[in-house]
Amino acid sequence: AQTVTQSQPEMSVQEAETVTLSCTYDTSENNYYLFWYKQPPSRQMILVIRQEAYKQQNATENRFSVNFQKAAKSFSLKISDSQLGDTAMYFCAFMDYSGGGADGLTFGKGTHLIIQP
Amino acid sequence: DVKVTQSSRYLVKRTGEKVFLECVQDMDHENMFWYRQDPGLGLRLIYFSYDVKMKEKGDIPEGYSVSREKKERFSLILESASTNQTSMYLCASSPRTSGKNEQFFGPGTRLTVL
């Protein structure tokens, strides 16, 4: 079974600062995906960024980037130039792809990120 | 845009009642999922389905069942609701093969069992 650990229950930064959310995971699988999901106060969960384990290059999406360290089983999210709209719960999630993607996600407990004006 | 809808945003039921939570997606996705979200615990997978009439247990299936009679609809059933099932329930869907493996979530149903 996989486990995902987010060690920061809450973080607070000033607008425009850069913030890094940490995530570690444990698995014996080689074929998997990692995700960061964002859940704003309105509760609709949306995908922020994904990383395929077989890719060495770190994924980036505009202001969001990851630091994927496969050997260390670490998958941190960096948010650059943070904005008030980035305030949300952020969940790190793992998918074992041996089932072809039909299996569910394993989530961490989440990090509540607050962007202060 | 992919849309996943859930029948209720808020629901209040009494202990012992049979509860149905409905989820509908409009993008012809094969895979559908039910999670529950609790503070400090993140999201946990209850059941999932990869095809009509197919279902698989997730990590916490006890006390729940599911039904998938049509591709677009996935129902979560609490046969006899208990207070420890008070939670936020999130439905999600994903296509079988997309190369992206993104799950699309509904807005959630906050269930309170009294």
Side-chain angles (χ1 to χ4, degrees):
Chain A
Q2 289 75 226
T3 59
V4 177
T5 302
Q6 295 179 247
S7 58
Q8 306 148 312
E10 185 169 290
M11 298 185 69
S12 180
V13 299
Q14 296 294 123
E15 193 175 7
E17 289 184 347
T18 293
V19 59
T20 298
L21 281 58
S22 66
C23 173
T24 59
Y25 60 95
D26 189 24
T27 184
S28 57
E29 302 295 333
N30 279 316
N31 191 9
Y32 56 88
Y33 287 74
L34 294 162
F35 305 85
W36 279 98
Y37 277 87
K38 170 185 178 181
Q39 189 179 43
S42 66
R43 293 287 186 177
Q44 193 89 30
M45 189 90 73
I46 56 174
L47 179 68
V48 176
I49 198 165
R50 74 171 62 80
Q51 175 80 42
E52 294 88 337
Y54 65 87
K55 289 187 177 179
Q56 292 187 337
Q57 187 173 5
N58 289 325
T60 62
E61 288 286 345
N62 301 314
R63 297 183 295 109
F64 299 88
S65 62
V66 299
N67 183 4
F68 174 47
Q69 302 288 330
K70 190 173 184 179
K73 297 180 180 174
S74 171
F75 183 60
S76 61
L77 174 69
K78 185 173 82 170
I79 306 173
S80 304
D81 186 25
S82 58
Q83 301 173 359
L84 296 179
D86 295 333
T87 293
M89 284 292 293
Y90 287 82
F91 292 97
C92 179
F94 174 100
M95 175 190 288
D96 172 13
Y97 198 61
S98 60
D103 296 341
L105 295 166
T106 299
F107 284 87
K109 294 182 179 181
T111 296
H112 184 206
L113 176 65
I114 301 167
I115 309 299
Q116 303 277 7
Chain B
D1 284 348
V2 175
K3 195 166 185 181
V4 180
T5 58
Q6 296 183 229
S7 51
S8 305
R9 290 301 302 271
Y10 300 93
L11 207 54
V12 179
K13 295 293 182 180
R14 298 221 172 260
T15 302
E17 280 193 75
K18 189 169 186 176
V19 182
F20 292 87
L21 302 182
E22 306 286 342
C23 175
V24 177
Q25 49 93 5
D26 66 358
M27 285 301 292
D28 202 35
H29 286 172
E30 289 80 9
N31 305 322
M32 296 188 74
F33 309 85
W34 275 106
Y35 298 88
R36 66 176 280 175
Q37 181 179 8
D38 300 288
L41 296 179
L43 282 77
R44 294 176 290 168
L45 180 65
I46 304 172
Y47 267 96
F48 62 100
S49 168
Y50 55 88
D51 205 346
V52 176
K53 296 192 183 296
M54 305 304 292
K55 59 184 179 183
E56 296 286 343
K57 292 180 179 179
D59 299 318
I60 52 166
E62 297 78 17
Y64 304 94
S65 62
V66 290
S67 173
R68 192 157 180 211
E69 296 297 318
K70 293 183 178 181
K71 189 175 185 179
E72 68 272 16
R73 188 180 297 269
F74 192 35
S75 302
L76 181 68
I77 304 159
L78 288 65
E79 294 288 345
S80 178
S82 63
T83 54
N84 62 13
Q85 292 177 310
T86 291
S87 187
M88 171 70 82
Y89 290 88
L90 295 175
C91 176
S93 72
S94 69
R96 178 169 296 156
T97 52
S98 71
K100 296 182 178 181
N101 296 300
E102 177 181 355
Q103 290 188 12
F104 297 87
F105 285 82
T109 295
R110 183 167 293 283
L111 173 67
T112 302
V113 182
L114 302 175

